[in-house]
Amino acid sequence: MSRLASKPTARDVAAEPVRVGLLGLGTVGCGTITVLCRNREEIARRAGRRIDVIQATARDLKKKRACPIDGIELVADAEKIVRNPKIEIVVELMGGYEPARSLVLSAIAAGKHVVTANKALIALHGNEIFRAAQAQGVMVAFEAAVAGGIPIIKAIREGLAANRIEWIAGIINGTTNYILSEMRDRGADFAEVLKEAQRLGYAEADPSFDVDGVDTAHKLTILAAIAFGIPLKFKDGYVEGIAHLTRADVAYAEELGYRLKLLGIARRAPNGVELRVHPTLVPERRLIANVDGAMNAVLVKGDAVGPTLFYGAGAGAEPTASAVVADLVDVVRTLTTDPTNRVPHLAFQPDALVDLPILPMTDVRTSYYLRLHAEDRPGVLADVTRILGDLGISIEAILQKESAQGENTVPIIILTHPVMEQSMNTAISRIEGLAAIRGRVVRIRLEHLHADWH
Ligand code: NAP
Ligand code: HSE
């Protein structure tokens, strides 16, 4: 081993530690302290200075914590931390919109750099926060906000900077991927698996954010901004969760050679940007279709590099801490850099963002899985296929299942080729109007994710 590698550099030892204030001592807060303690020397060698958490806050300061907090002063009033002149970096790991937003803005106003894992905060208030940070010349780093431990922000913002990004499709919520995987593998019950995801620390404080697709939409909003150089536009996207999915849909998808995943898709279209979150059938031969449990994966298609796939743990204490600490190291390394020469918060220079519209869902073109329940008599299928044909909707596959015992309807599964959502809406309402069709038509979107999709 060389001398250089075996000895700590003089710079580490001599330099003053960087003092950090931590807002939140939950799953990620404690994971961050644990990783900072365990890898203290290695991290200092990378950052060039030691990183010390000197103050922290939580709601209940008496609660027993899952990490070593000796030597950290616990402070009830978070404002004292963000205004402490000794603190250079504030790490926000409380979650939610308030008081996180006010505290982050206070920290920025006090000239502190900020690291956060809070995707809800960045997706909704990021434009305001980055403007304030730009004016103060401080950094706001948020790698942990998207896809847990996968360094996807850095990859898109820096590693793929040569490319025109064409589309992104990602499994970016560990909780829902865990639920769908367990439903498929064990035939497990939705509510039971959700409880397990909460116990493992994957779920949000309000798990409806996970289940209803909102957490995925927060993360997708951030990815779209850094990929396309647009402002954060959470409110304009389409969001649909997984609560309505049945084990039957998971099984039928499987039978047809597909896996059911909650995907976040951001795609450049000629007249704007598609920003959509919904359950999606993905061909089982795609690598992303085989991402199971709480793992995340993000497919990014750049015009120069082609499709790239980033895979790793999307939630949990230490995987998320890995991203938080990487941001801390990045901030420490750039403490001496001229603020105007830093990597821009949203990848593109603040005066070079373009305000592309987010397309309404009716203007999105995609393939579909339809499940309908029809009376088992001649001519019904012909009526359904005529409706689709009249609207120019081409069928890829049809599967008719046996009727359940005691029922006189049969489930029919139809896969279509790509069509505009507007036409599919018309087709579904006409099909639901047929006398032989019972109940609502279940619609799940299907994407082939071909390398040449653009
Ligand atoms: P958590 O386990 O619920 O921890 C939140 C912490 O913040 C707790 O220590 C809580 O105090 C404290 N806190 C909450 N509200 C507060 C307030 N008003 N004042 C003072 N302290 C407050 O949450 P988490 O899972 O660590 O998530 C933290 C952030 O990371 C969230 O933005 C989340 O979306 C994000 N994130 C989480 C994961 C993950 O896998 N968990 C992954 C990526 C990103 P008490 O402990 O006293 O209640
Ligand atoms: N609740 C989130 C998830 C945490 O399940 O992916 C990681 O962002």
Side-chain angles (χ1 to χ4, degrees), residues 119 144-145 148 172-176 202-204 210 215 219 296 314-315 320:
K119 51 269 168 153
I172 44 180
N173 181 269
T175 303
T176 45
Y202 303 151
E204 293 303 298
D210 298 290
D215 178 72
K219 294 164 178 168
N296 279 194
T320 312

Side-chain angles (χ1 to χ4, degrees), residues 196-211:
E196 182 71 1
Q198 286 177 289
R199 193 186 62 75
L200 292 166
Y202 303 151
E204 293 303 298
D206 176 355
S208 68
F209 272 47
D210 298 290
V211 171

